[in-house]
Amino acid sequence: MSKKNSGTDADRAYRMRTKLIHGTFHSKCWDYNHHIIPPMSASAAYRLDSVHRGAQGFTEFAAEGMEENQPIYIYDRLQEPTRGLLEENLSSAEGGEMAVCFSTGMAAISAAVGILTGAGDEILAHHTLYGCTYSLFTNWLPRYNIKTSFCDLRNLEETAALINEHTRVVYLESPVNPTLDLIDLAALCRLVEKCNQDRVKERRIKVIVDNTFATPVCQRPLSLGADLVLHSLTKNIGGFGTDMGGVVIGARQYHEPLLMYRKDFGGVLSPRNAWPILVYGLPTLAARMANQQKSALHVARYLEKHPNVARVMYPGLESFPQHELARRQMVNYEGKFAPGSMLYFVLKGDLKEASEAAERCIDYLAGNAYSITLAVSLGQIRTLVEEPFSMTHSALPPEVKIAKGLEPGGIRLSIGLEDWHDITDDLERALAQT
Ligand SMILES: *Cc1c(COP(=O)(O)O)cnc(C)c1O
């Protein structure tokens, strides 16, 4: 047995940045002692030694205590080793007890909500959400008689007033996509815990946090009281924009329902997509985030001083309205302030003027900028720009968007790994058009 597998070294308190590169190396999923790079499996079905063993695999699948046994692989959609390795490392990155990976972020969101709600139940969600999440909650879940109410989860009185006996899930993103408003996770979870005191176990409200924007490097919601954390792996964790994926992470009690849901709804992450996230994405996440957020602060400071910019939202700026909360909530594994790599800014003028200026600015970038690309998605090594009002958040009603600070003149930037001087130089030329 190699040193890495002997347990002694791995048991030492190595820092998370190191752990994200080396993984657990103790996996029950696969004995890969002599690999440096985890292997990639490609097998839809698995050879079984006997009917007895096949039967045991089916009985043990998703059953309590399954983590303690060597897995019996039967069929990719149930469980397979490459994805299993990724799940172990993702769970460790968020401080969870288990992780279950899905084909996309939306499949992960559907599963997290799917295992916690049934007909007659209600979700209470923050008013601003990723466009497809909003569409899932308002177009599809009502067909199953699952209703969603929206409120400002920053306002705990309003939140408490809207929680009723049917509420089963409180759902949010923080920072909110794209406005970057923050929700005080610890305070919200305390409120929910209080509401749960006089509820039977089966009716307790669970808090689900979409942590895609921050990544576990900048914020770990489970440590602040959340029940489930989820990610679009397509974004920062994948990091290179090559593959789609999603994950739900939390306590062991959710492992069985999530695996059963994934087995039957079928939105499983392919091992071919799991592999680049396991080999390139997660191991470089901490280094990429540290570098990108340094650049994001430079870009935010540059934009803040620009005469054509009305306001800049970046949790790392002293002028950020919730800067104190940002400093408390968004911290890296060492406890240092980690405000992330996303920023949002609004151009000057009334709604119409600002909207037209934003379009000129973004179109200029699309046609001329080398370091900034017009595209949806985020968290890649390339800096991406988009206009949320008409693009990613087009599913939300316009009056709701404007009331919540998501105006037509707003521009979202996802800062990549380029030299930040090139990013501000490209922005300088584009802002001259506004
Ligand atoms: C992209 C995104 C999703 C959806 O993820 P997909 O992988 O595209 O399905 C969900 N939440 C947030 C915050 C996102 O940015």
Side-chain angles (χ1 to χ4, degrees):
M1 201 175 244
S2 76
K3 246 176 138 183
K4 267 194 166 142
N5 257 346
S6 67
T8 49
D9 281 3
D11 287 345
R12 283 204 199 111
Y14 285 104
R15 283 153 194 85
M16 190 54 85
R17 178 167 163 181
T18 307
K19 282 198 197 168
L20 290 178
I21 293 165
H22 290 270
T24 58
F25 268 94
H26 278 295
S27 183
K28 287 202 180 78
C29 298
W30 209 337
D31 171 7
Y32 65 112
N33 264 351
H34 297 100
H35 290 73
I36 292 172
I37 303 299
M40 186 189 326
S41 152
S43 188
Y46 289 79
R47 179 148 47 86
L48 295 156
D49 300 332
S50 64
V51 171
H52 176 77
R53 187 156 168 83
Q56 190 187 352
F58 277 102
T59 325
E60 284 178 9
F61 175 69
E64 210 171 311
M66 66 175 278
E67 294 88 0
E68 279 78 62
N69 304 327
Q70 196 86 31
I72 301 174
Y73 296 120
I74 298 171
Y75 193 57
D76 183 335
R77 180 157 40 74
L78 275 58
Q79 262 190 310
E80 78 74 54
T82 307
R83 187 172 58 236
L85 294 170
L86 176 62
E87 285 168 345
E88 288 179 349
N89 292 347
L90 284 169
S91 157
S92 140
E94 276 287 6
E97 291 175 343
M98 64 86 218
V100 177
C101 283
F102 294 85
S103 53
T104 64
M106 285 316 302
I109 294 169
S110 312
V113 169
I115 61 162
L116 294 175
T117 55
D121 290 339
E122 292 185 15
I123 298 168
L124 182 60
H126 188 63
H127 51 57
T128 312
L129 292 174
Y130 179 69
C132 299
T133 308
Y134 181 83
S135 172
L136 171 73
F137 288 1
T138 53
N139 290 326
W140 295 100
L141 295 186
R143 293 190 181 197
Y144 308 104
N145 196 20
I146 298 163
K147 189 185 131 197
T148 301
S149 319
F150 295 94
C151 75
D152 188 341
L153 292 180
R154 289 172 301 178
N155 181 337
L156 292 180
E157 271 142 53
E158 187 190 338
T159 306
L162 279 170
I163 288 178
N164 64 45
E165 56 176 316
H166 303 292
T167 312
R168 294 300 313 283
V169 165
V170 173
Y171 187 97
L172 65 127
E173 301 158 12
S174 181
V176 174
N177 177 8
T179 56
L180 297 169
D181 292 331
L182 303 186
I183 290 156
D184 188 334
L185 297 176
L188 178 69
C189 291
R190 275 197 301 273
L191 169 72
V192 169
E193 201 185 311
K194 228 170 78 197
C195 297
N196 278 338
Q197 270 166 7
D198 27 76
R199 292 188 177 221
V200 293
K201 201 162 163 242
E202 302 73 50
R203 302 295 310 165
R204 288 197 188 132
I205 305 161
K206 306 293 181 185
V207 178
I208 305 180
V209 179
D210 180 338
N211 203 27
T212 302
F213 259 43
T215 82
V217 171
C218 300
Q219 170 176 288
R220 286 153 310 282
L222 295 176
S223 71
L224 300 170
D227 296 282
L228 289 174
V229 171
L230 54 87
H231 287 277
S232 165
L233 298 173
T234 319
K235 314 295 171 54
N236 271 300
I237 294 181
F240 295 87
T242 57
D243 295 271
M244 301 204 80
V247 65
V248 183
I249 306 164
R252 192 163 288 125
Q253 74 192 85
Y254 301 108
H255 204 195
E256 190 242 326
L258 284 168
L259 286 174
M260 295 306 270
Y261 186 99
R262 186 177 73 180
K263 169 177 86 68
D264 296 340
F265 282 83
V268 69
L269 181 68
S270 148
R272 282 186 186 73
N273 294 30
W275 190 83
I277 301 171
L278 174 68
V279 173
Y280 302 117
L282 195 57
T284 57
L285 176 66
R288 282 186 285 112
M289 287 311 289
N291 199 308
Q292 288 170 198
Q293 79 185 2
K294 248 188 229 166
S295 296
L297 185 59
H298 285 297
V299 175
R301 290 215 168 112
Y302 159 79
L303 287 170
E304 206 175 27
K305 288 198 202 92
H306 198 286
N308 301 3
V309 174
R311 61 188 180 94
V312 183
M313 293 290 275
Y314 179 62
L317 286 176
E318 288 73 21
S319 64
F320 186 69
Q322 297 167 291
H323 189 65
E324 183 274 323
L325 172 60
R327 285 199 162 269
R328 186 155 39 88
Q329 184 160 281
M330 300 189 74
V331 290
N332 69 12
Y333 293 111
E334 277 73 51
K336 292 208 186 93
F337 187 34
S341 58
M342 297 300 299
L343 54 92
Y344 180 73
F345 65 102
V346 182
L347 296 176
K348 278 190 183 157
D350 60 29
L351 283 185
K352 188 166 172 292
E353 288 161 359
S355 164
E356 286 166 5
E359 192 165 337
R360 279 198 302 277
C361 174
I362 295 175
D363 283 347
Y364 182 87
L365 289 171
N368 303 281
Y370 179 70
S371 72
I372 304 175
T373 306
L374 169 58
V376 297
S377 200
L378 56 104
Q380 303 190 7
I381 59 167
R382 288 172 168 74
T383 295
L384 305 178
V385 67
E386 69 122 0
E387 198 212 16
F389 189 87
S390 62
M391 294 172 60
T392 42
H393 291 67
S394 55
L396 277 77
E399 62 285 359
V400 171
K401 285 189 277 202
I402 291 167
K404 307 309 174 197
L406 203 178
E407 52 271 79
I411 297 175
R412 189 183 81 178
L413 273 176
S414 165
I415 301 299
L417 282 181
E418 301 90 347
D419 187 312
W420 65 266
H421 299 90
D422 288 328
I423 301 170
T424 53
D425 284 353
D426 270 334
L427 285 170
E428 180 77 20
R429 287 183 285 267
L431 286 168
Q433 317 294 314
T434 61

